[in-house]
């Protein structure tokens, strides 16, 4: 394989980074309407579901049956092609909800979510898919239907093979069905937006939220000043709190609205006593909450309006979380229009974004592998949510020890000796 | 291998079922004091950590360092030989707690917990170890130190190999170190004990608890009349509610005691309106709660006083949960002294116990495979928490599809070609 495909990114990058737009156009010209999506919903950032050389594309979008919802246990069984939001809407009538929520929920498929171990906005509260997926069915490289379908919360009979499939990016099998444990849908949701003088105040406030809001905290999102400026200016949105260096968006979900409000008010009162907390607003009315959420959820869209975006999805120890944004800003200097950071502070997941008017080789070269070296130095992860896909597979050693990579390659050879499942993805070229 | 080792159980069974007492005696005669425990804490029920033929025993009990606690993220990193309760006590000063809690917490090792994917009393609230374990280190069959140590909540760089090790019962590697995500320690804990006329009332009440107590429900335990009679009579304990066919023990843990009490009272008021709910008591004073918990936690001890106990640890769909106890009671008739059921109703985990004055071949033959057939018929699991170990490994097909068993065997051959890691365990003999 030619490394130029991942570094010399002009064409390839365009095809991947604009939410799949370019790709969709190209493939739907010759194909059926259903060809708009490949493998799964095609919403990832690392080219994990994009054909690059000689691949055969398999669509699961017609496998969209929700087979059952167990009203007692809250377990939903559905086919891989179900759209995340559709399943969540279906669960509403039974009083349950999907344990994961992403910006792409309206188009991403549950099969792809499971194949990439998708995280999202509420992992903080409801945990990862490694915990929520109780069973799955997949078709392996030799055509075997691998039946790991269980709907039980506790089942210790042999190896947890399903967990190996979760996050394997389609390289060990094509997931066709899943059983997912769903939490009870909250009776009340509230949202607070705070403006803060520094990242250290944001971190202290997030820790206070974890302690004072405990079991009702369902989201803890961080937005820096540059991100906030981008989303308000480019999309003409209004930020309801005073401008500051940092912002925290805290969501609570619980079974008793009055209790939640009381906890949130006590938390806000206590927080406002801190000199670094500059302003705050509280919302529980759906339309107001939706307006505030837009400041976070539409950030990716706002950044795209500035030209080309280098999007990075990384995990870091909390103490290093924002230092990396500042370091990257210094490193790139005036070569870029914007270098900003936002993300799921509650679980250490940073979305580092760099905008330039047009794709720049120079910036690309300055970013990688420099950024991966910074991430590796503090034992972070070069891909928090989106997997390795095509773009990052040869950078795996920045986040995984050689012993783990070697075993991963052996398992791939065992389960897919001819490398026909999602080839050129996830597994590094050079062993 | 001779099947008589697992069926003709007189000697072997004695060595396994009495909490390892017999085994401990035998092995400590020649060994050092530390030899009292093998592999891990040796608290399992299926002989998973008991040497049977020619095994070399490796103790991890000197690997008992708690290496770090991240006060921001709540991640604890510790060696495999740490005792579960010791880690939990250490976490208290930082305001965190271990996400799992078992009856054997005072002696079981965290390495063994992870190797067997232990569940326990609070899985309902805090999820499984597949979700809580963020990283692990293990020594594989060829002596490689497999480094999957990560302390990040989100890390999608390659296969989640650590999840394959979790629950592999020591057959793929010896776990030496783990990183575990720990929840915030609750500020307040309350306990309710209800007596109910039938299992269907118990199930409806458990569902109501899930809905009305939502995020604060931390335990939902079921005890039948026979179990309650056994624990109160044999251990001279007092049950504080009126005698009935079933009992439910509900625990709440939260960040605000007043809110939790209010939720619990509303739930109890609503429940007492139901004709099937006969009596109830609420406790939040530690000594009173401890007395109530004893009714559940000392059940295993109480049963042992009746002679020999056939202990079964199974998972079932909630609608079948108690029907199996009644069916087994009918099936065994007057061949046994007692056939009772209790367990983690919240996650479908039933502990079915049968007592006889002395070990009985006839009862053993009546129980297996009859019981596994019943479990398989409703898609339950023949081992919810304790794994397959030595005793159940050849019964794996009752809970796992052939395709999954075949892949499991291939992975075992790949990672341990000479079958030197915990031999004769977990993997079935006949392929």
């Amino acid at each position: 394989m030619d490394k130029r495909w991942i570094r010399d990114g002009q064409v390839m990058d365009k095809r991947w980074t604009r939410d799949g737009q370019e790709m969709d156009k190209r493939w739907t010209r010759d194909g059926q309407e259903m060809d708009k999506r490949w493998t799964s919903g095609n919403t990832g950032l690392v080219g994990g579901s994009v054909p690059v050389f000689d691949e055969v594309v398999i669509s699961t979008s017609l496998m969209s049956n929700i087979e059952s919802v167990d009203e007692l246990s809250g377990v939903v069984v559905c086919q891989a092609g179900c759209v995340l939001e559709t399943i969540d809407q279906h669960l509403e009538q039974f009083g349950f909800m999907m344990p994961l929520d992403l910006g792409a929920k309206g188009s991403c498929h549950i099969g792809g979510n499971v194949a990439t171990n998708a995280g999202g906005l509420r992992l903080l509260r409801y945990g990862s898919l490694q915990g929520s997926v109780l069973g799955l069915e997949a078709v392996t490289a030799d055509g075997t239907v691998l039946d790991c379908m269980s709907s039980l919360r506790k089942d210790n009979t042999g190896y947890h093979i399903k967990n190996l499939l979760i996050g394997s990016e389609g390289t060990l099998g094509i997931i066709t069905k899943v059983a997912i444990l769903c939490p009870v849908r909250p009776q009340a949701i509230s949202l607070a937006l705070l403006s803060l003088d520094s990242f250290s105040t944001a971190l202290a406030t997030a820790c206070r939220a974890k302690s004072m809001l405990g079991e009702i905290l369902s989201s803890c999102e961080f937005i820096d000043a540059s991100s906030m400026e981008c989303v308000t200016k480019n999309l003409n949105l209004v930020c309801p709190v005073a401008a500051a260096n940092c912002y925290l968006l805290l969501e609570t979900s619980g079974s008793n609205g009055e209790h939640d409000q009381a906890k949130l008010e006590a938390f806000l009162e206590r927080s406002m006593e801190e000199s670094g907390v500059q302003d705050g607003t509280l919302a529980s009315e759906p339309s107001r909450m939706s307006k505030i959420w837009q400041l976070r959820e539409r950030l990716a869209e706002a950044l795209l309006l500035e030209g080309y975006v280098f999007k990075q999805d990384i995990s870091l120890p909390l103490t290093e979380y924002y230092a990396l944004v500042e370091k990257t800003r210094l490193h790139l200097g005036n070569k870029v229009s914007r270098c900003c950071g936002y993300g799921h502070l509650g679980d250490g997941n940073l979305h580092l974004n760099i905008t330039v008017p047009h794709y720049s080789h120079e910036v690309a070269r300055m970013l990688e592998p420099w950024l991966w070296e910074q991430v590796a130095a503090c034992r972070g992860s070069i891909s928090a949510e989106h997997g390795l896909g095509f773009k990052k597979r040869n950078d795996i050693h920045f986040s995984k020890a050689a012993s783990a990579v070697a075993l991963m390659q052996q398992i791939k050879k065992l389960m897919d000796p001819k490398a026909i499942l999602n080839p050129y993805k996830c597994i590094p070229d050079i062993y």
Side-chain angles (χ1 to χ4, degrees), chain A residues 126-137:
Chain A
Y126 302 110
S128 78
L129 287 175
Q130 291 286 357
S132 305
V133 175
L134 301 183
L136 63 76
E137 180 194 83

Side-chain angles (χ1 to χ4, degrees), chain A residues 387-414:
Chain A
L388 296 169
F390 182 66
K391 292 182 83 177
K392 291 186 181 174
R393 71 194 192 291
N394 286 317
D395 298 317
I396 189 171
H397 60 279
F398 286 109
S399 288
K400 277 270 186 300
S403 54
V405 176
L407 180 55
M408 179 177 152
Q409 288 168 324
Q410 287 168 20
I411 291 174
K412 170 72 175 174
K413 277 182 189 161
L414 173 76

Side-chain angles (χ1 to χ4, degrees), chain A residues 192-261:
Chain A
L193 182 69
L194 299 172
S195 60
L196 314 125
D197 68 343
S198 67
F199 177 73
S200 67
T201 305
L203 192 51
T205 308
C207 284
R208 190 181 309 117
K210 209 171 150 180
S211 154
M212 289 184 75
L213 301 174
E215 65 278 3
I216 61 167
L217 186 65
S218 53
S219 231
C220 176
E221 297 288 310
F222 170 82
I223 303 170
D224 73 359
S226 176
S227 304
M228 186 60 90
E229 187 220 35
C230 172
V231 77
T232 49
K233 199 183 70 180
N234 295 357
L235 298 177
N236 204 21
L237 298 177
V238 177
C239 172
V241 291
N245 287 325
C246 301
Y247 303 84
L248 267 190
L249 201 160
L250 300 164
E251 186 196 71
T252 64
S253 309
S255 56
N256 184 312
E258 278 177 38
H259 291 170
D260 295 0
Q261 286 274 338

Side-chain angles (χ1 to χ4, degrees), chain A residues 179-396:
Chain A
I180 295 181
L181 178 70
C182 301
V184 170
R185 215 170 184 92
Q187 299 292 312
I189 296 176
S190 295
L191 202 60
L193 182 69
L194 299 172
S195 60
L196 314 125
D197 68 343
S198 67
F199 177 73
S200 67
T201 305
L203 192 51
T205 308
C207 284
R208 190 181 309 117
K210 209 171 150 180
S211 154
M212 289 184 75
L213 301 174
E215 65 278 3
I216 61 167
L217 186 65
S218 53
S219 231
C220 176
E221 297 288 310
F222 170 82
I223 303 170
D224 73 359
S226 176
S227 304
M228 186 60 90
E229 187 220 35
C230 172
V231 77
T232 49
K233 199 183 70 180
N234 295 357
L235 298 177
N236 204 21
L237 298 177
V238 177
C239 172
V241 291
N245 287 325
C246 301
Y247 303 84
L248 267 190
L249 201 160
L250 300 164
E251 186 196 71
T252 64
S253 309
S255 56
N256 184 312
E258 278 177 38
H259 291 170
D260 295 0
Q261 286 274 338
K263 286 191 182 88
L264 203 44
E265 278 165 23
F267 161 76
L268 285 174
E269 270 174 36
R270 171 75 190 73
S271 297
M272 296 310 260
E273 288 167 12
E274 299 293 319
S275 61
V277 180
Q278 301 185 335
D279 194 8
T281 187
L282 186 58
S284 53
E285 201 263 300
S287 72
R288 279 209 59 216
M289 289 198 290
S290 162
K291 272 188 188 161
I292 295 175
W293 261 122
Q294 285 193 39
L295 297 168
R296 167 65 186 84
E297 287 191 325
R298 295 182 69 188
L299 262 163
E301 176 191 346
L303 286 160
L304 275 174
L305 296 174
E306 303 196 344
Y308 183 85
V309 189
F310 291 97
K311 298 179 177 189
Q312 307 297 349
D313 166 51
I314 52 195
S315 271
L316 294 162
L318 293 175
T319 46
E320 312 292 330
Y321 189 89
Y322 199 64
L324 186 63
V325 180
E326 290 168 329
K327 214 184 262 182
T328 308
R329 200 173 278 151
L330 268 177
H331 177 68
L332 298 175
N334 60 10
K335 300 274 193 305
V336 300
S337 322
R338 187 187 298 279
C339 173
C340 64
Y342 62 92
H344 317 299
L345 180 63
D347 35 64
N349 183 187
L350 172 73
H351 295 314
L352 172 63
N353 284 265
I354 293 117
T355 64
V356 278
H358 305 284
Y359 176 81
S360 154
H361 283 291
E362 189 186 359
V363 171
R365 275 192 299 267
M366 284 180 79
L367 262 181
E368 293 177 28
W370 176 86
L371 187 63
W372 305 154
E373 287 159 6
Q374 309 302 312
V375 171
C378 57
R379 301 216 66 167
S381 167
I382 64 161
S383 187
E385 301 190 306
H386 289 266
L388 296 169
F390 182 66
K391 292 182 83 177
K392 291 186 181 174
R393 71 194 192 291
N394 286 317
D395 298 317
I396 189 171

Side-chain angles (χ1 to χ4, degrees), chain A residues 114 133 135-138 146-149 162 165-166 175 177-178:
Chain A
V114 173
V133 175
L136 63 76
E137 180 194 83
L146 180 64
D147 177 3
C148 301
M149 279 305 292
K162 72 171 187 330
L165 273 288
I166 300 169
I175 293 172
K177 202 194 281 189
V178 292

